[in-house]
Amino acid sequence: LTVWCKLPEPVMYPAPKGVSCWRDPFCVQRPAAAGGSGDEWVVGLASGVKGVGGAVLRFKSKHFTHGWQFDGFLAAGDNQTLGLRGNDWKCPILSRLPRIAA
């Protein structure tokens, strides 16, 4: 990225209630072959749920620069059940992995 223009307003707000933070967006355009409409953007945001544990929030939009709507949790962890500490997760990068023969 060598040229960019900061928009006057945030493209996503507010964070859902109970969320400790949101950071490290990972954006993808969801193709029709994956169940999307072909013109839908999806972003995963690293986050956490206060008093519970790390989470990845999912937002979607038809337009990359506006219209983002919270679409639920892509993943969430329970620190007590998993024996973990910390309030949030970092860098939710999604990638397709090859199948491994059993």
Side-chain angles (χ1 to χ4, degrees):
L1 182 63
T2 57
V3 177
W4 61 278
C5 178
K6 182 177 178 180
L7 298 174
E9 296 291 325
V11 296
M12 286 182 215
Y13 59 89
K17 291 186 185 230
V19 168
S20 59
C21 74
W22 57 352
R23 54 179 286 157
D24 308 328
F26 183 80
C27 303
V28 294
Q29 190 171 22
R30 190 170 182 214
S37 62
D39 62 352
E40 178 179 64
W41 288 90
V42 179
V43 66
L45 286 170
S47 184
V49 178
K50 293 177 185 173
V52 180
V56 177
L57 307 177
R58 183 178 58 225
F59 286 79
K60 65 181 179 178
S61 175
K62 297 267 185 202
H63 310 279
F64 188 75
T65 59
H66 64 280
W68 289 96
Q69 296 179 339
F70 177 62
D71 192 38
F73 291 87
L74 183 61
D78 182 337
N79 283 355
Q80 188 172 6
T81 301
L82 298 172
L84 301 174
R85 289 190 240 170
N87 295 322
D88 53 87
W89 289 345
K90 312 281 191 273
C91 302
I93 298 171
L94 302 177
S95 178
R96 184 179 303 267
L97 300 174
R99 290 182 183 241
I100 298 175

